[in-house]
């Protein structure tokens, strides 16, 4: 990498982070109220219920809303580390600490040659754009693991692999940080560390408590959530006589009725195509720079988020974290997709929780918000994929044309 390390960032980022996070905390403790449904119910009721079950020595075997890998139990049980606070308050404090860790990692990385403070600013701005929901779910904790993996992986591929495996057992998607590791020794180091760590943890969780993998059946049976890309068809179809309905199903509001299964299958097909594209890219990519793992992870998570049957608001925090790592590199590109993700975060807080009643009812305003948010994610996915392909696949191999005049980043030999 080239370039000089940042000399200092001053107090402004610290003040901005503290003010925005203070506002989020005031929202989740109900000093300020955001319009729409109470987003903190997941913590105070659902997570707390799982916590009580986990303390008995078993996973929530009879609760179909438990759709997470076994490592999620660590996040749900984490408030036990602060026994002097009630469950919800302890959870919010721990999420705040994870938020601070990501902020600190991005600022610290900004002191390295070739790294800049822009990544920290993406994190400062992007998280509060999602509103209080981001502190009322455990996804920010998972994002912290993925960000740490990518930043550590610049110098220590084995650490990247171990953290990727740990993150995957929290919520699957952090495994995608492995897709862009440079060929050769770094790939062998990262992937072998991931396999060994993942296998050890998987066995450990299975032995720890019964029901560690019951979530697989619950996740398989999920339907089409009303905020997903495929759901837009049914939002419009409701206005022309579609005989379906919206119900709370498997822990989220889903469409149930004619043709839902077909559209859900098509969504899975799009996800399979996204996986196929990633495999082709991996086979053809030749130029790997320090920022390539971050670019590849950002692109992969964008693709799978946009094609998912469920695009819950908290999913966007994954993208904010990965966008922050991309923009931390001076030559890391992905500026346009990152900006689209930040705009999508701002729209997301409008569709949930502010205007969620309109979304559930398929009102024009609710549908418009979904069209804009999902359209931004699709556009960001396409832009990110084209940028990644152009920078890493030689022209003699590439089948996708370059866009713009940017030159590929210098590879790390």
């Amino acid at each position: 990498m080239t370039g000089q390390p940042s000399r200092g960032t001053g107090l402004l980022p610290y003040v901005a982070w503290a003010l925005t996070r203070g506002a989020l905390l005031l929202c989740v403790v109900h000093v300020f109220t955001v319009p729409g449904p109470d987003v903190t119910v997941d913590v105070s009721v659902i997570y707390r219920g799982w916590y009580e079950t986990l303390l008995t020595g078993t996973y929530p075997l009879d609760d179909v809303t438990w759709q997470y890998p076994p490592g999620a139990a660590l996040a749900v049980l984490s408030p036990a580390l602060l026994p002097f606070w009630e469950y919800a308050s302890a959870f919010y404090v721990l999420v705040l600490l994870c938020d601070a860790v990501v902020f600190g990692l991005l600022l610290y990385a900004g002191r390295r040659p070739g790294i800049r403070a822009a990544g920290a600013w993406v994190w400062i701005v992007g998280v509060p754009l999602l509103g209080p929901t981001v502190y009322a779910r455990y996804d920010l904790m998972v994002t912290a693991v993925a960000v740490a993996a990518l930043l550590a992986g610049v110098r220590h591929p084995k650490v990247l692999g171990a953290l990727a495996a740990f993150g995957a057992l929290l919520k699957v998607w952090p495994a995608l940080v492995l897709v862009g590791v440079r060929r050769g020794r770094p790939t062998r180091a990262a992937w072998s560390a991931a396999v060994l760590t993942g296998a050890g943890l998987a066995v450990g969780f299975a032995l720890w408590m019964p029901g560690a993998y019951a979530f697989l059946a619950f996740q398989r049976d999920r339907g089409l959530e009303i905020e997903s890309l495929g759901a837009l068809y049914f939002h419009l179809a409701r206005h022309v006589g579609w005989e379906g309905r919206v119900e709370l199903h498997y822990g989220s509001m889903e469409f149930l009725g004619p043709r839902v299964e077909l559209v859900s299958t098509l969504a899975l097909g799009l996800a399979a195509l996204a996986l196929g594209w990633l495999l082709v890219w991996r086979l053809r990519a030749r130029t790997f720079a320090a920022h390539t793992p971050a670019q590849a992870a950002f692109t992969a998570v964008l693709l799978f988020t946009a094609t998912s049957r469920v695009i819950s608001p908290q999913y966007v925090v994954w993208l904010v974290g990965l966008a922050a790592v991309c923009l931390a590199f001076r030559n890391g590109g992905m500026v346009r997709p990152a900006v689209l993700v930040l705009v999508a975060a701002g729209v997301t807080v409008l569709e949930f929780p502010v205007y969620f009643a309109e979304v559930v009812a398929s009102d024009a305003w609710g549908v418009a918000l979904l069209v804009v948010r999902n359209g931004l994610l699709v556009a960001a996915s396409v832009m990110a994929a084209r940028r990644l392909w152009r920078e890493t696949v030689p022209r003699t191999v590439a089948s996708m044309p370059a866009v713009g005049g940017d030159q590929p980043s210098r590879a790390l030999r």
Side-chain angles (χ1 to χ4, degrees):
M1 293 184 293
T2 60
Q4 297 299 318
S6 301
R7 295 298 181 187
T9 57
L11 290 176
L12 184 58
Y14 298 95
V15 172
W17 183 87
L19 290 176
T20 53
R21 275 39 178 195
L24 287 175
L25 283 177
L26 291 175
C27 288
V28 293
V29 299
H30 301 112
V31 173
F32 298 143
T33 301
V34 175
D38 182 3
V39 301
T40 65
V41 169
D42 276 47
V43 175
S44 60
V45 177
I46 298 176
Y47 285 16
R48 180 58 190 263
W50 292 339
Y51 175 82
E52 299 293 346
T53 300
L54 290 166
L55 288 179
T56 67
T58 182
Y59 283 88
L61 297 174
D62 300 322
D63 187 349
V64 297
T65 63
W66 177 263
Q67 299 163 8
Y68 308 108
L74 299 178
V76 174
L77 289 170
S78 63
L81 296 172
L82 303 173
F84 38 85
W85 276 325
E86 61 93 18
Y87 182 87
S89 297
F91 183 87
Y92 303 142
V93 169
L94 290 170
V95 174
L96 174 69
L97 289 175
C98 290
D99 187 344
V101 167
V102 175
F103 175 58
L105 286 173
L106 290 167
L107 280 182
Y108 178 77
R111 300 175 182 176
R112 299 178 187 170
I115 310 292
R116 56 185 179 178
W121 278 107
V122 171
W123 184 252
I124 291 169
V125 174
V127 170
L129 282 176
L130 286 165
T133 305
V134 76
Y135 269 27
R137 306 290 188 272
Y138 83 93
D139 294 80
L140 193 148
M141 297 176 173
V142 183
T143 303
V145 175
V147 169
L150 288 169
L151 292 176
V154 174
R155 297 178 179 176
H156 307 289
K158 289 184 178 180
V159 177
L160 182 151
L163 288 174
F166 175 62
L169 284 163
L170 290 172
K171 207 163 189 180
V172 181
W173 70 266
L176 293 172
V177 305
L178 292 165
V179 73
V181 178
R182 182 162 57 96
R183 289 172 178 269
R185 184 178 297 174
T187 288
R188 292 192 295 272
W191 291 16
S192 60
V195 169
L196 291 174
T197 303
L201 289 174
V203 172
F205 283 122
L207 296 175
W208 180 30
M209 288 189 293
Y213 299 99
F215 80 98
L216 293 171
F218 300 152
Q219 187 64 241
R220 178 199 62 206
D221 295 335
R222 290 194 77 163
L224 193 69
E225 200 260 350
I226 64 171
E227 295 166 278
S228 64
L229 182 64
L232 290 173
Y233 169 82
F234 297 104
H235 281 294
L236 298 175
R238 293 176 83 181
H239 294 280
V240 292
W242 178 67
E243 298 178 353
R245 64 195 185 279
V246 173
E247 287 186 5
L248 183 63
H249 191 246
Y250 281 86
S252 63
M253 301 301 292
E254 296 182 0
F255 279 116
L256 301 174
R259 297 185 295 281
V260 171
E261 186 174 351
L262 172 62
V263 174
S264 183
T265 301
L266 290 174
L268 290 174
L270 287 175
L273 287 175
L275 176 61
W277 184 90
L278 282 171
L279 290 174
V280 171
W281 168 78
R282 177 71 193 185
L283 290 172
R284 295 190 174 189
R286 294 294 182 271
T287 304
F288 289 79
H291 58 260
T292 302
Q295 286 189 336
F298 183 46
T299 302
V301 176
L302 267 170
L303 289 170
F304 285 115
T305 299
T307 59
S308 174
R309 295 176 297 171
V310 181
I311 307 181
S312 295
Q314 63 268 24
Y315 288 17
V316 183
V317 75
W318 314 344
L319 301 173
V320 170
L322 297 177
V325 179
C326 288
L327 266 63
F329 292 94
R330 293 185 184 280
N331 53 358
M334 297 293 178
V335 174
R336 291 180 180 177
V339 170
L340 292 183
V341 165
L342 292 179
V343 177
V347 178
T348 296
V349 76
L350 294 177
E351 65 92 359
F352 184 89
V354 178
Y355 292 104
F356 193 60
E358 285 77 2
V359 172
V360 173
S362 299
D363 285 352
W365 178 239
V367 175
L369 289 171
L370 285 181
V371 169
V372 172
R373 196 279 301 270
N374 292 347
L376 288 167
L377 293 180
V378 170
S381 302
V382 173
M383 287 183 182
R386 291 177 70 86
R387 175 79 186 219
L388 178 66
W389 187 281
R390 185 176 68 248
E391 286 200 3
T392 57
V393 179
R395 291 182 181 276
T396 55
V397 177
S399 59
M400 294 180 63
V403 178
D406 295 341
Q407 296 300 314
S409 301
R410 182 170 65 88
L412 294 180
R413 301 300 181 186

